[in-house]
Amino acid sequence: MPTESGDKQTIQTRSLIRLCDSWMEAVAQGLTCDRNEKRSRFIMLFLTALFLTLFIIPSPQFLSVHYREGDIATSDIRATQDYLIEDLLLTEKKRAEAEAAAPFVYTLAVNGNIELVRRFEDALDLMDDATLHGDARRRAAVGVLGVDISAQEFAALSRVRQQRFFLSDLARQLGPLYRQRVVADRGHFAADLRHGIVVVDEATRQDVAGGDYSASIDLPAARRIFSQATLTQGASPHDLEILKGVAVRMIAPNLSFDRNGTDQKKSEARAAVRPVLFKMKRGEMIVRVGERVTSEQAMKLEKIFKTRNSTPVLTGLGIFGLILVLCYAPYRFGRKNIRKFNPTNKDILLLSLLTVANFAVLKLVSAVSTALGGLFPSIDTASYFYLFPFAASAIIVRIILNSEVALVYCAITAPLTGIMLNNSLQVVVYALLGGIVGAHGVRQCKERGTIYSAGFKVSAVNMALAVCFHVYNDSPLSLQPLYCIIFAFLGGLINAVYVSGTIPLIEALFQYTTDVKLLELANLNSPLLRELMIRAPGTYHHSVLVGNMVEAGAEAINANPLLARVAAYYHDVGKLKKPQYFIENIRDGENRHDKLSPSMSALILISHMKDGVELAKEHRIGQPIIEIIRQSHGTSLINYFYLKAKGLETPGSPPVDERDFRYPGPKPQTREAGLVLLADCVEAASRTLTDPTPARIQGLVQKIINNIFIDGQLDECELTLKNLHEIAKSFNQILAGIYHQRIDYPEPAYKEKTIAKKPEDIDSEPPKADAGREDAAAKGGAEDLRRLGMS
């Protein structure tokens, strides 16, 4: 037969196997949940980045529409970055001036007279050419001389016998003439000389240094001077006179205007002029909707279009990638380094929708501000940015979630806001500081007025930034800084109005519980608490006392007193389903558990947790309170019925499983949940004290807290030993105030003697008119009144 120790070993082995199986199943479920959670968060990240890209990407007019002078602008266009733009008109003017100032180019034939003599020499050589006869020789001579000659002149040329002497005499007469520089028109040359000329050698194309060209003569004067000269050698005087006439016609300017050279000089002078540039600053309004585009505006727009060589797809991809990096990097930093930064999927969904909605609103108000710029041209469109609700979303995140998430949220959204609004660094600083100050202002938002107080704080910071921005930009004194300061003040109030209208909507849609919602739930006249007071008055009174205790404890350890108190009010609301099964609600002395088995009694007690969660969900109490209801008993043991079940064990029956008498949990996960568990146990145990002196209360509190700590119920919350010490002190103070010592009052000095009557005669018999009795009663009543205030 199996021994008793063997049975115990088998039971322990089976328990260990079940524990391992449960642990492995929990691990598998956890891994599956982690994978699903990561997948969901990545999907939300990509969708959020996609929608934000659509809002942030530059408007289509920057990428496709080309405006020309005279066109009507269909939208407001601003410079998205700093541009250096060439002033075409001024540049063209300066180039025209440089071109007009360029010197004229003249070519100088240094050996012009020699060239004329050489052509005569070539013509004379033709006269001796035996292969040419008659008209052929004459045509050849004309081609060489370059002028038409008559038959008489041809005959005179053929009769020259002493060519060397003739050519020498001709060169002697032409030399002085050509050294004076022969020009085609003396008047034009004088004008060009005053403007400035450059003389280049006709053969080498090199500049001719020096020279006085003011004594130049024009072609008619040169021919007239040469016609007065006398040739004396090489032929008869008559033939020489005829040949002189040919030479007169052959005289040509040796200082000639060079059209090509002059054009080249002008081109060089034009090219040497650098473009005249002016700076167009980022955010500068180029053209407003409905305006007719001027030539200057068309030039600016053309510059923007030419510099934008990227396509919308590439621009969108760049912005999409930037959003992913800006969202993911701060999120990972928060998860790894910030203890309270642990948003759930529901929180991530809220942040995504809130961000997309906020950017949609900013895009809308940006379009409205550009329209207002057309209606009020005296106000710079950039001044309207101070009205934008940049801080609203951060304030909402702080109210709904916590300050750590709000800080990371500001770090993500502020740069994206600046990118959307013309890549403005000032917008980044303005949005970041406004969001941080606004989130700080609602750190204890227990009433709607706190939101407006935070709005005024944002207004103060906004005005300070507006002044700093104008001083930093060295803006001139004008009305614009005044407009910006006024708009900055109004911007904080707009944030407060925005948040006040949005918070109730978020609470209704996402079932979040804010401090304002908690104040509404803390009203003891709420439907659920009134029902608890009527149907389970003992539980109601117990819950109110626990609420007072946890509020004091939360204030002592810097937890959330409001959340702890409201959660304490509702932590036992599940007892409404079976109020008579709980000792504090039993009035007639009949204990219904006497007729039930211990396991059934334990099930009834445990079921009030599930019933409480269902009632809380039905009345939309809020997720934080629902979680505290689940955790308010942790996995503690129902010790009374467990020991009762152990006492009813019979030999051979299955052993009592302790797990059947423990609450399902989970254990408290937050400080507020731990406070509710401690206060619940301490308050219930304090009712068993027969003589609740401060010393006994202190010992009871210490004992209960130690037992809970040893049982491991506080292992998963953030309560430290120092916190437990402060909680115990606060519990002692509250319980000492509840169970304070009372004085036994002395017997009354006067007791009215009455005649015993039947109950039915008391109301029917009229009073007797007895003066003595009335005087005595009056005397005794006065003495009783004097004793009411005695202690």
Side-chain angles (χ1 to χ4, degrees):
M1 294 181 64
T3 62
E4 182 178 357
S5 60
D7 291 340
K8 290 184 178 180
Q9 186 175 4
T10 302
I11 293 173
Q12 291 176 355
T13 303
R14 290 176 181 176
S15 300
L16 182 60
I17 292 174
R18 286 198 302 269
L19 180 62
C20 292
D21 291 340
S22 301
W23 181 80
M24 293 179 65
E25 182 179 359
V27 170
Q29 291 178 354
L31 293 175
T32 304
C33 291
D34 287 342
R35 285 195 294 269
N36 293 334
E37 182 179 355
K38 289 182 179 179
R39 186 184 303 111
S40 301
R41 295 192 177 190
F42 274 111
I43 292 174
M44 285 189 284
L45 173 62
F46 276 92
L47 290 177
T48 304
L50 179 61
F51 282 109
L52 291 181
T53 301
L54 298 178
F55 289 125
I56 295 176
I57 193 170
S59 301
Q61 70 265 18
F62 289 112
L63 305 174
S64 59
V65 180
H66 291 262
Y67 290 106
R68 296 182 177 85
E69 183 179 357
D71 292 344
I72 302 299
T74 58
S75 61
D76 289 342
I77 303 180
R78 296 175 179 272
T80 56
Q81 63 185 43
D82 290 342
Y83 293 97
L84 286 177
I85 299 180
E86 179 184 354
D87 190 335
L88 297 178
L89 297 177
L90 187 57
T91 301
E92 183 61 28
K93 179 181 178 181
K94 289 188 173 296
R95 286 176 176 173
E97 292 175 352
E99 184 178 356
F104 297 111
V105 177
Y106 277 77
T107 57
L108 177 62
V110 180
N111 299 320
N113 57 336
I114 298 175
E115 177 65 21
L116 193 150
V117 172
R118 185 189 62 75
R119 287 189 298 174
F120 259 107
E121 183 180 4
D122 292 341
L124 293 173
D125 291 340
L126 290 175
M127 299 299 105
D128 298 331
D129 191 351
T131 60
L132 298 175
H133 303 281
D135 290 340
R137 182 176 294 175
R138 180 169 170 268
R139 288 194 298 272
V142 169
V144 170
L145 294 174
V147 294
D148 193 13
I149 57 176
S150 63
Q152 183 181 8
E153 291 171 338
F154 179 71
L157 183 62
S158 63
R159 289 194 291 270
V160 175
R161 294 292 178 262
Q162 298 178 346
Q163 296 181 9
R164 181 176 297 178
F165 292 103
F166 171 73
L167 295 175
S168 296
D169 191 15
L170 181 63
R172 181 177 56 81
Q173 296 294 336
L174 289 173
L177 186 66
Y178 272 89
R179 282 195 292 271
Q180 285 184 296
R181 309 289 193 267
V182 180
V183 296
D185 188 337
R186 185 70 179 85
H188 285 96
F189 179 74
D192 292 346
L193 188 62
R194 287 193 298 272
H195 174 78
I197 64 172
V198 174
V199 179
V200 298
D201 190 283
E202 185 180 34
T204 63
R205 305 302 299 179
Q206 298 294 324
D207 290 351
V208 177
D212 182 13
Y213 301 103
S214 59
S216 302
I217 58 176
D218 56 8
L219 183 59
R223 289 178 176 177
R224 187 173 57 253
I225 293 172
F226 186 75
S227 63
Q228 295 174 0
T230 303
L231 297 177
T232 58
Q233 298 181 11
S236 64
H238 177 72
D239 291 339
L240 289 175
E241 192 66 24
I242 294 174
L243 293 177
K244 186 175 68 172
V246 175
V248 168
R249 296 200 306 274
M250 291 176 62
I251 293 176
N254 69 333
L255 188 59
S256 305
F257 179 73
D258 186 353
R259 172 65 62 183
N260 294 334
T262 300
D263 291 343
Q264 183 177 356
K265 283 291 183 183
K266 290 180 179 295
S267 299
E268 292 175 356
R270 184 183 182 87
V273 175
R274 298 173 65 87
V276 179
L277 303 176
F278 67 92
K279 188 174 184 179
M280 183 168 59
K281 300 200 70 174
R282 180 179 55 201
E284 178 182 341
M285 179 63 72
I286 300 174
V287 61
R288 299 186 185 276
V289 59
E291 288 185 350
R292 189 178 296 276
V293 178
T294 64
S295 59
E296 182 180 357
Q297 291 171 337
M299 175 184 65
K300 293 179 179 179
L301 293 175
E302 187 65 23
K303 174 65 176 179
I304 293 177
F305 297 142
K306 287 182 178 179
T307 55
R308 280 186 172 271
N309 50 12
S310 59
T311 63
V313 176
L314 292 178
T315 303
L317 287 176
I319 295 175
F320 182 78
L322 181 61
I323 294 172
L324 289 179
V325 173
L326 277 175
C327 291
Y328 184 74
Y331 172 80
R332 290 293 298 171
F333 176 84
R335 287 297 301 270
K336 297 295 184 182
N337 298 279
I338 302 177
R339 180 169 53 88
K340 290 186 179 181
F341 185 85
N342 189 24
T344 63
N345 277 0
K346 177 183 174 182
D347 299 337
I348 297 294
L349 177 61
L350 170 66
L351 294 174
S352 299
L353 295 178
L354 182 63
T355 303
V356 172
N358 185 55
F359 273 79
V361 170
L362 292 178
K363 193 75 172 180
L364 176 62
V365 295
S366 178
V368 172
S369 68
T370 55
L372 291 176
L375 296 176
F376 305 100
S378 60
I379 302 177
D380 188 3
T381 308
S383 300
Y384 291 107
F385 285 172
Y386 293 97
L387 287 170
F388 290 6
F390 294 119
S393 57
I395 296 175
I396 293 173
V397 172
R398 174 62 185 88
I399 294 175
I400 298 295
L401 300 178
N402 54 49
S403 57
E404 290 78 8
V405 177
L407 181 61
V408 175
Y409 181 82
C410 288
I412 294 174
T413 56
L416 295 178
T417 305
I419 293 171
M420 183 178 72
L421 298 177
N422 302 322
N423 296 318
S424 174
L425 178 60
Q426 291 184 357
V427 171
V428 175
V429 176
Y430 189 78
L432 180 62
L433 291 183
I436 292 174
V437 172
H440 173 72
V442 294
R443 66 189 185 280
Q444 292 180 349
C445 184
K446 295 183 179 180
E447 55 185 11
R448 302 290 180 185
T450 306
I451 297 176
Y452 289 92
S453 299
F456 281 110
K457 293 178 182 178
V458 174
S459 295
V461 173
N462 288 353
M463 290 189 293
L465 288 175
V467 173
C468 293
F469 288 155
H470 279 276
V471 174
Y472 169 75
N473 293 327
D474 197 20
S475 300
L477 294 177
S478 63
L479 288 177
Q480 293 302 322
L482 180 61
Y483 290 141
C484 293
I485 293 173
I486 295 174
F487 291 163
F489 175 77
L490 295 177
L493 301 183
I494 291 174
N495 280 288
V497 174
Y498 186 142
V499 173
S500 297
T502 307
I503 287 295
L505 180 63
I506 295 177
E507 288 177 344
L509 292 178
F510 291 89
Q511 296 299 309
Y512 278 104
T513 304
T514 63
D515 286 348
V516 178
K517 180 68 174 178
L518 289 174
L519 284 173
E520 297 173 357
L521 294 173
N523 185 3
L524 296 179
N525 287 321
S526 64
L528 196 56
L529 291 180
R530 283 185 62 85
E531 186 178 0
L532 184 66
M533 179 178 61
I534 294 171
R535 296 181 55 191
T539 301
Y540 171 82
H541 182 66
H542 161 74
S543 299
V544 172
L545 293 180
V546 172
N548 294 334
M549 294 173 64
V550 297
E551 185 175 30
E555 291 175 350
I557 65 172
N558 294 323
N560 189 336
L562 182 59
L563 175 60
R565 175 162 61 92
V566 175
Y569 287 168
Y570 292 89
H571 81 284
D572 274 344
V573 75
K575 294 181 180 180
L576 275 172
K577 295 292 183 70
K578 301 180 181 66
Q580 297 303 318
Y581 284 90
F582 297 92
I583 189 65
E584 66 267 22
N585 299 316
I586 298 177
R587 301 178 182 177
D588 52 6
E590 179 185 359
N591 190 347
R592 299 189 179 186
H593 289 283
D594 294 340
K595 302 177 182 180
L596 301 177
S597 64
S599 59
M600 181 58 67
S601 297
L603 287 176
I604 292 175
L605 295 184
I606 292 172
S607 66
H608 90 274
M609 306 296 300
K610 180 181 178 182
D611 295 338
V613 171
E614 292 176 354
L615 286 172
K617 289 181 178 178
E618 180 182 346
H619 288 78
R620 296 186 176 183
I621 299 301
Q623 192 61 34
I625 298 177
I626 292 175
E627 293 300 326
I628 293 179
I629 292 175
R630 286 197 181 100
Q631 302 164 16
S632 61
H633 292 280
T635 59
S636 58
L637 179 66
I638 305 176
N639 197 51
Y640 175 81
F641 291 109
Y642 174 69
L643 295 178
K644 185 177 179 181
K646 292 286 288 184
L648 296 176
E649 278 186 342
T650 59
S653 63
V656 176
D657 192 349
E658 183 181 310
R659 291 180 298 179
D660 296 336
F661 292 86
R662 282 191 177 272
Y663 286 96
K667 295 178 180 180
Q669 304 294 308
T670 62
R671 293 188 295 175
E672 291 78 11
L675 274 169
V676 172
L677 186 148
L678 292 172
D680 184 29
C681 296
V682 169
E683 198 282 330
S686 67
R687 295 174 180 270
T688 63
L689 291 175
T690 56
D691 184 15
T693 61
R696 290 185 178 183
I697 291 173
Q698 183 176 356
L700 175 69
V701 171
Q702 182 177 357
K703 176 183 176 182
I704 296 297
I705 293 178
N706 284 337
N707 290 339
I708 294 173
F709 178 78
I710 293 171
D711 194 30
Q713 299 302 314
L714 305 178
D715 290 349
E716 299 178 12
C717 65
E718 301 172 351
L719 293 175
T720 63
L721 293 176
K722 181 179 180 180
N723 294 150
L724 295 179
H725 177 69
E726 297 296 331
I727 291 169
K729 288 172 61 178
S730 64
F731 285 180
N732 291 334
Q733 293 176 358
I734 297 295
L735 292 176
I738 295 173
Y739 299 110
H740 63 273
Q741 295 290 330
R742 289 174 172 80
I743 297 175
D744 293 333
Y745 292 104
E747 290 293 330
Y750 169 78
K751 291 186 178 180
E752 183 179 356
K753 296 180 180 180
T754 59
I755 299 172
K757 300 178 181 178
K758 296 181 180 179
E760 61 269 21
D761 296 333
I762 293 177
D763 296 330
S764 60
E765 183 178 353
K768 294 181 179 181
D770 188 344
R773 286 286 298 268
E774 290 178 359
D775 294 340
K779 182 179 179 181
E783 291 177 355
D784 288 343
L785 289 175
R786 283 196 298 270
R787 287 186 174 88
L788 286 178
M790 295 180 62
S791 60

